[in-house]
């Protein structure tokens, strides 16, 4: 179907491009300028001198450790969410009657629990379990709060597997465990990818749990590192923004190499 | 129930289904780290507790203080305004952008890739970047004052507007990705039929696109509401609740009360209230969306 160009929509999209682009330009621009120069022209001026010294300042302060911690937390969270969420969803989709419905409803309601609302008792629990000021003190609650969305997405994906396939597996004598491994997991690959992307982004973006559950520098995550830089480098704006830029690099790398999976995962979360 | 299940194992294989055992580890985990704390926060809201000694049961003391605390009501109001502001700004922009970028033209693909970029930044990074950009002396207001005013973060209205602006900047790309995926899945024949009937672009949008995006709209709105009620990091880093306590939303008040003034009992009362609001919002939205009928989840999420 041929249509004439939609100029109004195109123009609106360009406006949004400016809204997205200008702050990003200012971010990169400022991070690349020497501290002495940046106040002259404001964030939007053309750079008069470029330097990488801001990045070395940030690296010298141990930022790589924060990035490494964050990667570990994201990977650990995804692993727990998949290990627990896949069997839950399998039981919800293939299980019988009231119980599976009840489990599903519980997680549906769980969707609404704001982590802020329960942070005080959660802090006590993490403390009692001996996980305070460890990366596990961040991973465990982050995983728990990522479970509801994950169960919703995973069970949605599993519901698309046709009953005939389950019956065929059963005729072959497969028990639930084998059905899960040889049928359900391979068939819900895209739901699993969506869940992983989603959970990883949540862990990456996490702020409250790292703020409350950890204390020492060696257990800091990127978001908390940035928060501390505000007071530490308050006056050195180019260094601060260089840290902001560096905090995005790992996700940028993932994006460059796994763009399709990342975007498909996020789009899949919206439903058809 | 369980005895039936045991008997099922001996039955013909076609009847064997996963039992609740499969959900048990996840359930336990969720109970410990999400459900039990809900009970905990309710209990603590009836105590006085400084975080060191053991909690002292004080009955409804925190709650009578809560209902007389004008700061809490102001925080509730600000939370509500932010929530509505975010939905009103983000929903239309995300739908339009998502539908627009669902087209397969090359320029749209390139632009959509750029639109995606804010998703690479965490909320903390976004807030810090914007705080510098909005700085009255060195940021955009010093150069383009006609657009931002001299100090947009200096007033309550300005602060709230900035919170909405920055939140939208960060999350519109996410929501428009959801809509992009959904818009691509709308059958093309619907538009062809409408075009044959002489429906223009605007009519097609309102009569085909929007109704077809209904489920995504609900999903996206749920994300906005939950996100709005938990918008803590953005407030802490962008306005720090200020000027004064003008942009202090409920989670922020709760955090300050608990972890800055060590009044965990009263903070638990605020937290319980937040929990109540979130549950009410979620029940309302799941009823509206039909999420609670299990069959429709496939459509919705």
């Amino acid at each position: 179907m041929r249509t004439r160009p939609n100029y109004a929509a195109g123009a609106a999209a360009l406006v949004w491009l400016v809204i997205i682009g200008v702050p990003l330009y200012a971010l990169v621009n400022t991070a690349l300028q020497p501290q002495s120069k940046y106040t002259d022209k404001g964030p939007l001026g053309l750079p008069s001198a470029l330097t990488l010294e801001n990045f070395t300042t940030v690296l010298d302060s141990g930022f790589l450790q924060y990035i490494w911690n964050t990667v570990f937390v994201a990977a650990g969270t995804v692993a727990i969410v998949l290990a627990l969420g896949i069997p839950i969803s399998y039981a919800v989709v293939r299980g019988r009657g009231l119980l599976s419905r009840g489990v599903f409803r519980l997680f549906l309601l769980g969707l609404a629990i704001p982590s802020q609302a329960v942070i005080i008792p959660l802090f006590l629990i993490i403390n009692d379990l001996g996980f305070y000021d460890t990366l596990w003190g961040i991973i465990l609650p982050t995983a728990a709060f990522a479970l509801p969305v994950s169960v919703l997405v995973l069970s949605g994906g599993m519901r698309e597997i046709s009953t005939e396939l389950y019956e065929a597996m059963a005729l072959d004598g497969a028990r639930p465990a084998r059905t899960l491994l040889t049928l359900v997991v391979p068939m819900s690959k895209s739901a699993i990818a969506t869940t992983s992307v989603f959970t990883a982004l949540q862990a990456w973006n996490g702020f409250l749990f790292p703020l409350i559950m950890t204390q020492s520098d060696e257990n800091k995550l990127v978001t908390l590192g940035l928060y501390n830089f505000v007071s530490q480098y308050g006056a050195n704006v180019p260094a601060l923004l260089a840290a902001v830029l560096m905090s995005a690099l790992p996700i940028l790398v993932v994006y460059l190499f796994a763009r399709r999976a990342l975007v498909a995962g996020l789009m899949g979360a919206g439903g058809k | 129930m369980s005895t039936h299940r045991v008997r099922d194992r001996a039955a013909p294989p076609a009847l064997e289904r996963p039992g609740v055992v499969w959900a048990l580890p996840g359930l336990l985990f969720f109970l410990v780290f999400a459900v039990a704390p809900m009970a905990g926060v309710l209990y603590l809201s009836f105590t006085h507790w400084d975080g060191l000694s053991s909690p002292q049961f004080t009955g409804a003391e925190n709650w009578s203080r809560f209902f007389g605390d004008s700061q809490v009501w102001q925080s509730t109001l600000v939370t509500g305004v932010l929530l509505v502001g975010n939905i009103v700004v983000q929903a239309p922009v995300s739908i339009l952008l998502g539908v627009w970028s669902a087209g397969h033209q090359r320029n749209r693909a390139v632009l959509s890739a750029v639109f995606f970029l804010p998703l690479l930044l965490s909320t903390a990074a976004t807030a810090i970047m914007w705080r510098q950009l909005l700085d009255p002396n060195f940021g955009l207001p010093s150069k383009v004052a006609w657009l931002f005013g001299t100090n947009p973060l200096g007033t309550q209205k300005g602060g709230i507007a900035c919170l909405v602006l920055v939140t939208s900047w960060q999350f519109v790309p996410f929501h428009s990705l959801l809509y992009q995926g959904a818009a691509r899945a709308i059958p093309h024949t619907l538009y062809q039929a409408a075009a044959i009937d002489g429906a223009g672009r605007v009519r097609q949008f309102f009569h085909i696109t929007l109704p077809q995006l209904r489920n995504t709209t609900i999903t996206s709105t749920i994300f906005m509401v939950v996100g709005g009620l938990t918008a803590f990091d953005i407030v802490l880093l962008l306005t720090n609740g200020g000027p004064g306590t003008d942009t202090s939303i409920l989670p922020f008040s709760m955090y300050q009360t608990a972890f800055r003034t060590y009044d965990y009992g009263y903070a638990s009362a605020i937290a319980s209230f937040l929990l109540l609001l979130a549950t009410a919002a979620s029940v309302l939205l799941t009823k509206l969306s039909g999420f609670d009928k299990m069959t429709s989840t496939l459509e919705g999420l």
Side-chain angles (χ1 to χ4, degrees):
Chain A
M1 184 172 60
R2 290 297 308 161
T3 46
R4 68 207 149 75
N6 190 343
Y7 292 113
L14 285 178
V15 170
W16 188 255
L17 178 69
V18 171
I19 296 176
I20 293 288
V22 166
L24 289 175
Y25 167 76
L27 172 65
V28 176
N29 184 25
T30 311
L32 286 171
Q33 286 186 51
Q35 199 193 349
S36 53
K37 290 278 195 289
Y38 118 93
T39 46
D40 298 349
K41 298 187 172 173
L44 297 182
L46 288 172
S48 48
L50 293 179
T51 173
L52 288 177
E53 105 192 64
N54 299 315
F55 292 91
T56 52
T57 309
V58 174
L59 281 178
D60 288 343
S61 70
F63 204 69
L64 276 183
Q65 176 71 40
Y66 305 159
I67 288 184
W68 184 237
N69 288 346
T70 313
V71 170
F72 180 77
V73 165
T77 308
V78 171
I80 292 183
V81 163
L82 291 182
L84 298 176
I86 290 176
I88 295 175
S89 310
Y90 179 48
V92 161
V93 173
R94 293 296 295 164
R96 234 196 288 258
L98 272 177
L99 257 171
S100 69
R101 198 174 304 240
V103 170
F104 187 71
R105 272 174 192 262
L106 176 78
F107 281 103
L108 208 56
L109 278 178
L111 210 53
I113 308 173
S115 47
Q116 278 88 349
V118 297
I119 191 71
I120 298 169
L122 204 50
F123 171 68
L124 277 178
I125 292 171
I126 291 294
N127 224 341
D128 284 351
L129 293 174
F131 288 124
Y132 179 71
D133 203 19
T134 68
L135 293 178
W136 290 103
I138 303 170
I139 292 174
L140 296 173
T142 308
F145 280 82
L147 260 186
V149 177
S150 308
V151 168
L152 248 59
V153 173
L154 288 171
S155 59
M158 288 178 194
R159 264 192 202 109
E160 291 189 63
I161 304 171
S162 72
T163 325
E164 285 82 13
L165 286 172
Y166 285 112
E167 280 164 5
M169 288 292 296
L171 278 179
D172 285 349
R175 314 286 304 268
R178 199 155 77 86
T179 309
L180 179 69
L181 286 179
T182 56
L183 173 69
V184 178
V185 168
M187 289 287 282
S188 37
K189 241 190 252 155
S190 73
I192 292 175
T194 303
T195 307
S196 310
V197 167
F198 226 80
T199 309
L201 277 181
Q202 246 173 305
W204 190 263
N205 205 3
F207 187 84
L208 188 74
F209 293 141
L211 176 69
I212 308 281
M213 303 302 180
T214 61
Q215 187 180 30
S216 54
D217 214 41
E218 78 217 55
N219 292 323
K220 224 163 236 141
L221 297 204
V222 166
T223 44
L224 258 281
L226 287 177
Y227 179 48
N228 279 29
F229 279 173
V230 174
S231 46
Q232 209 173 328
Y233 293 127
N236 189 352
V237 174
L240 183 59
L241 294 187
V244 165
L245 211 52
M246 282 183 62
S247 76
L249 283 184
I251 293 275
L252 183 66
V253 171
V254 173
Y255 178 55
L256 292 179
F257 283 102
R259 184 173 172 272
R260 261 168 210 284
L262 197 60
V263 173
L266 287 167
M267 293 210 308
K272 290 156 211 133
Chain B
M1 189 85 200
S2 59
T3 50
H4 276 286
R5 213 156 291 280
V6 172
R7 218 169 291 153
D8 277 354
R9 286 186 186 279
L15 289 174
E16 191 167 20
R17 283 164 173 265
V20 77
V21 177
W22 288 84
L24 227 47
L27 267 178
L28 268 175
F29 185 77
F30 192 65
L31 285 176
V32 169
F33 291 107
V35 180
M38 288 203 283
V41 81
L42 274 175
Y43 169 73
L44 286 174
S45 76
F46 292 98
T47 66
H48 176 77
W49 187 41
D50 57 9
L52 294 172
S53 53
S54 51
Q56 301 289 318
F57 193 79
T58 55
E61 199 185 294
N62 289 322
W63 286 101
S64 59
R65 180 177 156 201
F66 178 88
F67 287 109
D69 186 346
S70 60
Q71 177 56 45
V72 165
W73 297 115
Q74 193 203 309
S75 297
T76 309
L77 187 68
V78 174
T79 311
V81 170
L82 262 184
L83 204 65
V84 173
N86 273 327
I87 293 174
V88 166
V89 172
Q90 291 184 55
V93 177
S94 316
I95 291 175
L96 288 174
L97 269 178
V99 170
W100 178 81
S101 52
H104 286 283
Q105 294 89 331
R106 187 155 176 76
N107 56 344
R108 295 190 182 189
V110 173
L111 278 186
S112 314
V114 179
F115 291 160
F116 185 94
L117 288 174
L119 275 174
L120 305 179
L121 296 177
S122 61
T123 305
T126 309
I128 290 170
M129 180 192 85
W130 274 98
R131 196 174 167 101
Q132 299 311 324
L133 275 176
L134 294 169
D135 186 276
N137 299 313
F138 304 114
L140 294 175
S142 66
K143 305 289 168 188
V144 279
W146 55 270
L147 189 58
F148 289 96
T150 45
N151 183 11
L153 290 172
T155 63
Q156 183 178 39
K157 276 186 188 150
I160 289 175
C162 287
L163 286 170
V164 171
L165 168 79
V166 175
T167 307
S168 305
W169 187 87
Q170 192 192 0
F171 286 111
V172 159
F174 170 80
H175 293 286
S176 53
L177 266 177
L178 300 185
Y179 285 113
Q180 185 187 356
R184 283 212 174 131
I186 300 176
H188 220 75
T189 46
L190 289 178
Y191 292 105
Q192 283 165 340
I196 290 168
D197 288 346
R201 188 173 274 132
V202 176
R203 274 181 71 98
Q204 287 183 17
F205 178 78
F206 283 103
H207 287 93
I208 299 172
T209 313
L210 269 190
Q212 290 280 321
L213 292 178
R214 182 180 166 270
N215 283 320
T216 311
T217 312
I218 292 162
T219 311
S220 151
T221 311
I222 290 179
F223 279 128
M224 286 182 196
V225 170
V226 175
L229 286 175
T230 56
F232 163 76
D233 34 7
I234 185 85
V235 171
L236 180 71
L237 284 158
L238 193 66
T239 66
N240 198 18
T245 54
D246 278 354
T247 57
S248 163
I249 60 168
L250 280 173
F252 186 76
S253 298
M254 191 280 305
Y255 169 77
Q256 297 275 22
T257 313
F259 297 98
R260 290 284 158 84
T261 56
Y262 306 107
D263 193 349
Y264 292 94
Y266 188 54
S268 296
I270 303 177
S272 305
F273 181 61
L274 187 62
L275 202 57
L276 191 79
L277 284 184
T279 311
S282 138
V283 168
L284 196 72
L285 282 165
T286 42
K287 287 276 176 254
L288 281 178
S289 64
F291 259 13
D292 53 341
K293 299 180 202 74
M294 287 171 73
T295 44
S296 62
T297 49
L298 192 134
E299 298 265 294
L301 236 143

